[in-house]
Every structure is written in structure tokens, then in C-alpha cells.
Amino acid sequence: MASPAQNIQGPFFIGLTVNILLHGVLTTQVYLYFTKYKTDTLWLKTFIVILYIADSFNCIISIYYIYNALVTHFGDDASLLTANWAFAADAVLTGAIGGAVQHFFAWRVYVLSKNILVVLAILLCSLVNFAGSLGATVSVALNPSFTLLPGLTTEVTMWLVGAVLADMIIAISLVWHLGRHRHVFPALNSTINRILRMTVQTGVLTTIVAIIDLTCYLTISSGIHLIFNIPLSKLYTNCMLSSLNARKGWTYDGSSSSEPTHGGVHTQSIAFQAQSIQPEVIVDVESHRMTDKPRHSFFKHSSTSKHVWNSEEDGSSINDI
């Protein structure tokens, strides 16, 4: 007979392993961010610190749950069929972290496009995402038996469908807005293409994982969906940090990562300035002077003089050449 741990604790342990690996990646991303972007606004730095603390706490309670279930209550099959507070809290933490990251991208969409309707759509889907995760946490806390876990269809569907819709709106709106400027600024095509690839990759990654999570939950009665659900919060924070850290490769014509940004976005317009070098032309002029002297006099050859001409002295410009 199969152990009850194979249904819930097995998939949870696999998901936790991936979660811890992604937390290590996140730690590296946070270190790189604070090393490279020291002049970013204070609220953005504070936001990243809060997200990192929340993600670390998410790892801690997940480790506590699996240790409590498999080690503290080793051999107790009844405990394997019952959730505790740590298992219940994991859902609302994942929803809150994902919603916070979506709010950040909603801010980025607003800074770039100033489209209030799109931003409101993102915020609405994000709030549905959080409400669903909160509902799942409350339901598990009130009925901790894992036999009732498949009955949380409404809460889990709200949670993951809200997350998928928010991610899709963010990706589509950013791609549409940035794509319009490819024709306005042809010289920026390569830079815009890099931003578009990053936007699509990060948005598609979280969307695919959330869809797989929801599909597994709705079609498989066991806890296989936990393999994809447990690391979901780390995917959101890693996607956000990767987009912020990738800004170093988006600079153009002297724009620097040391310039302060709003929400990770340079709000000033992009100016194209041709850097011209004013050439200096050195002309050697030999002058000869003839004078009337007695017979024994002769022509005097003056010393060579040098004159330096710069195109700025006579009001001409290098662009006129």
C-alpha cells in the first residue's frame, strides 16, 4: 500500500526543493541589484527588501511544514492527512508576493504608457489573484483535512486565473507600447528588441507555470499541482529582479545606470546626439618680404609662422561639411 505522504508531502517536497534553489538565485539577484543600482529611488529599494523578506519567510514556513510532517510526526499517518498553519499560510504568501510584483509592473506600464484603463485592469486581476489565495488560506485553516483540498475549486481558480490574466495584460501592453516606438526610433531597434524579449520571457514563464498549476489541480486529485505552486512566488520575484538588473544592457548613447529611475524606468525622453569632433587644421605659411637696399642688400626670408584654424572660429560647423 502506498504511503499517504506520496499524495501531498511528496509533491510538496519536490516543489520546496525548487523553491529553495530559486531563493538562492533570488539572493544573487538582490545582491547584484544593490551593487549596480545604488541610485534607484528609496521606495523601490524598500519594496525589493520587503519582497525578499517575504520570500525568505515563505521558504522558512515551507521547511517547517515538511519537517513537522515527515520528521516530528514520523510514522503518524493521521498527521500526513492534516494541514497545519504553515501549509495554509503558504497560499496567501504566494498570492501576496505575486500580486505585489504585478502591482510593480502595473506601475511600469503606467510610467511608459500613461494608460489608466490598462493599469486598472492589471490591478483588478491582481486583486482577484490575492483574494483567491486568501480564500484558499482561510478555507484550509478552517478545514485542515487534505481530503477537502480538491473542493477549493473556486478559490484556486480565482487565484490562478487572476494571476494569468494580470501577467498576460502586462506582457501584451508592454510589447504593444514598446513595439510602436520601433518605427519612431529605428536606431533603438536592437535595444527595444532586447526589452521585448525580456518582457515576453518573464511574462510567459509565470503564465505557463500558473496554467500548469491550475490544470494539474483541476484534473489530478493528488497534490501534483504543489510541484508548480510552491515555487510560484520565487518565479515572480526573480522575473522582477531580472528585468531590473537587465537595465545595464539597455543603455544607449551615454545613458547610465547611475541615473535615478522611477519604478526602474527612465522617464526622460531619449535624445539622439551626434558627437562630432571639430578638426584642427594646421597651415604652414611662408611669407617673403622684398625691400630696396643698397647693392649689397639682399632679400630677407622671414621665419615660418603657423596659424591654427578651428571650424568654430569662423562660425562654421562640422555639419556643414
Side-chain angles (χ1 to χ4, degrees), residues 21-230:
L21 290 175
L22 291 176
H23 188 268
V25 176
L26 177 63
T27 301
T28 304
Q29 297 250 43
V30 171
Y31 170 77
L32 291 176
Y33 170 78
F34 281 101
T35 301
K36 294 198 297 183
Y37 301 99
K38 298 179 181 180
T39 59
D40 273 0
T41 54
L42 180 61
W43 75 263
L44 182 57
K45 293 180 179 179
T46 305
F47 181 64
I48 291 173
V49 170
I50 292 174
L51 282 180
Y52 182 75
I53 293 174
D55 259 326
S56 300
F57 183 66
N58 174 260
C59 274
I60 291 172
I61 64 172
S62 296
I63 293 171
Y64 168 77
Y65 166 74
I66 204 68
Y67 185 89
N68 182 72
L70 299 182
V71 178
T72 305
H73 294 91
F74 177 76
D76 185 1
D77 289 348
S79 68
L80 296 178
L81 299 175
T82 305
N84 61 7
W85 67 268
F87 185 92
D90 183 81
V92 70
L93 263 179
T94 301
I97 293 170
V101 172
Q102 288 164 349
H103 276 62
F104 166 78
F105 281 110
W107 167 255
R108 176 171 280 186
V109 170
Y110 174 75
V111 170
L112 289 175
S113 68
K114 298 294 188 293
N115 193 322
I116 299 296
L117 293 179
V118 173
V119 173
L120 288 178
I122 296 171
L123 295 180
L124 178 60
C125 293
S126 179
L127 290 176
V128 171
N129 163 25
F130 176 71
S133 65
L134 179 60
T137 292
V138 172
S139 298
V140 172
L142 295 177
N143 301 287
S145 175
F146 284 133
T147 58
L148 301 176
L149 194 61
L152 304 179
T153 305
T154 302
E155 293 88 342
V156 174
T157 302
M158 285 178 57
W159 172 10
L160 297 176
V161 170
V164 168
L165 289 178
D167 294 340
M168 290 179 63
I169 296 173
I170 290 169
I172 292 172
S173 60
L174 288 176
V175 168
W176 177 77
H177 179 76
L178 293 171
R180 289 192 310 162
H181 291 81
R182 297 174 64 181
H183 306 290
V184 180
F185 302 113
L188 273 178
N189 276 350
S190 60
T191 301
I192 292 176
N193 287 336
R194 286 197 297 270
I195 301 175
L196 289 176
R197 283 196 300 269
M198 175 64 68
T199 301
V200 171
Q201 289 169 0
T202 55
V204 167
L205 178 61
T206 53
T207 300
I208 290 176
V209 173
I211 290 175
I212 294 174
D213 183 14
L214 180 60
T215 303
C216 290
Y217 175 79
L218 296 176
T219 58
I220 303 175
S221 58
S222 65
I224 295 298
H225 68 280
L226 295 173
I227 296 176
F228 306 97
N229 184 270
I230 301 302

Side-chain angles (χ1 to χ4, degrees), residues 203-272:
V204 167
L205 178 61
T206 53
T207 300
I208 290 176
V209 173
I211 290 175
I212 294 174
D213 183 14
L214 180 60
T215 303
C216 290
Y217 175 79
L218 296 176
T219 58
I220 303 175
S221 58
S222 65
I224 295 298
H225 68 280
L226 295 173
I227 296 176
F228 306 97
N229 184 270
I230 301 302
L232 194 56
S233 64
K234 300 298 183 299
L235 289 178
Y236 275 107
T237 46
N238 271 293
C239 287
M240 173 184 164
L241 264 298
S242 66
S243 69
L244 289 174
N245 288 334
R247 287 175 293 164
K248 202 131 187 131
W250 298 350
T251 55
Y252 183 82
D253 278 351
S255 60
S256 171
S257 61
S258 62
E259 298 173 356
T261 64
H262 302 277
V265 179
H266 294 273
T267 56
Q268 67 268 27
S269 59
I270 300 175
F272 297 94

